[in-house]
Amino acid sequence: MLSFFQKLGRSLMLPVAILPAAAIIIGIANTMIAIQEKPNAVSSFIQNAGLSILGLMGVLFAVGTALGMAKKNDGAVALAAVVGFFMVSTILKPVNVALYLGVDVAKVNPGFEKLDNSNVFVGIIVGLIAAYMYNRFSETELPMALSFFSGKRLVPIMTAFASMFLAFILLFVWPVVFSGLVNFGEMILGLGPVGAGLYGFFNRLLIPVGLHHALNSVFWFDVANVNDIVNFQQGKGVEGMTGRYMAGFFPVMMFGMPAAALAMYHTAKTEQKKRVAGLLLAGSVSAFFVGITEPIEFAFMFVAPVLFVIHAILTGLSMFIAASFQWTAGFSFSAGLIDFLLSLLNPMSNQPWMLMMQGIVFFVLYYVIFRAAIQFFDLKTLGREDDMAEHIDEGVAEGEGKYSAMARHIIKGLGGEDNIDTLTNCATRLRLEVKDNSVINVNEIKQAGAAGVIKSGRTQAQIIIGTHVQQVADEVERQLDR
């Protein structure tokens, strides 16, 4: 079950990756409107281009979930997801529901109006169905008379029938499900700043098992009627309120994580500081500019879990403070400088520069607390290990790419090619299915430059790489295909 939700969390990152494009396009439009003091044909054209992406979030999540959960990234499963999603959304249009139930359209449950192209909840369900159909039927051989529909051609067909059945179930169940999701969202919203703080706390705690993406979808998209990212980017909602489930991350990611890295560097053994400086500096730059914090977090997550609990508490505190003072800024990908600057152009931003002031305070908090905890508890963070092995520094052979040596050692650390079944990646991690993860040499992989390794069950493993994970994944795949 844990493996399923980890894989689902990775899948949800695929549609999220398109959001920066929407944010940049909308940011350009907002800038033009601010300069001209009113929209014109050009700015409206650009703004609608960005909003069109946000209006298709349900479809994007259907495709992303299907591709992520299927055993192969195949176009057939993506096509099946699109077919299934549009079948459900069309069948359950309010005007059609009124016809089925024999009532006036005005009496149809308002929840059916939410079953449009932006419905992330239905997108995820349909994506899971399409992935199941692909995994189950993509290699099925039908009798000779029907052989044209065998294999991958069968996947969209089976998904279509399953989607019809799903639409029939939702016809009666959706009003109850929708009401439950809305009540949950309203409960969290009703907690105000405390709800934002609790979300921030659990968001960090779920990182080790990769389930934070699933939690994020509840608050950032229209799963429980919160929809914080989309509402912020569309300029809808209440100023000072919309964006509260994003704003508090900026002080933590842009300032807190670099401060934690600095604390680990200053407490490292003198002879190891040069070795750890590169990794911590790269992680800090990534956190500040892009909002990718996992390379730093995994440097202390497992070797010093007390620091990670402190980190989760401080994140919750940051979210609470920002929400209490109604300082808001938003992001499309993560809470780094790039997204912060883009959010300044958004009319939903409210006193965003105060988040930078808060960030300076949190830089001091993180540095003082982390340094004191590392020294007081003698925590074995980077550069303080008792049995430190030398970091692999192997030159790249002529004709090889930049990541060749790293990929070779990762494959070796995983137990060789024969132990690797599948390889995928998300924004910062390599995600693998192996025959036996007990043979994985964690030290070998870390010495190759990875920030950390996570094992789950007997066949699952994740390797935390950082923002250059795609290049590493491509090189590993290239070497595996030789």
Side-chain angles (χ1 to χ4, degrees), residues 86-100 105 108-109 112-117 171:
F86 282 118
M87 283 188 67
V88 172
S89 62
T90 301
I91 291 171
L92 297 179
K93 283 183 176 180
V95 63
N96 293 333
V97 172
L99 178 64
Y100 310 145
V105 176
V108 172
N109 188 287
F112 288 104
E113 295 180 359
K114 290 286 188 178
L115 292 178
D116 56 12
N117 294 344
L171 179 63

Side-chain angles (χ1 to χ4, degrees), residues 6 25 62 67 99 109 163 166 231 240 320 323 373 389-391 395 406 414 416 424 428 439 445:
Q6 287 176 333
I25 294 170
L67 287 171
L99 178 64
N109 188 287
S163 297
L166 173 64
N231 285 340
F320 172 77
E390 288 297 319
H391 181 80
M406 187 176 186
L414 288 169
T424 57
T428 58
V439 304
I445 295 173

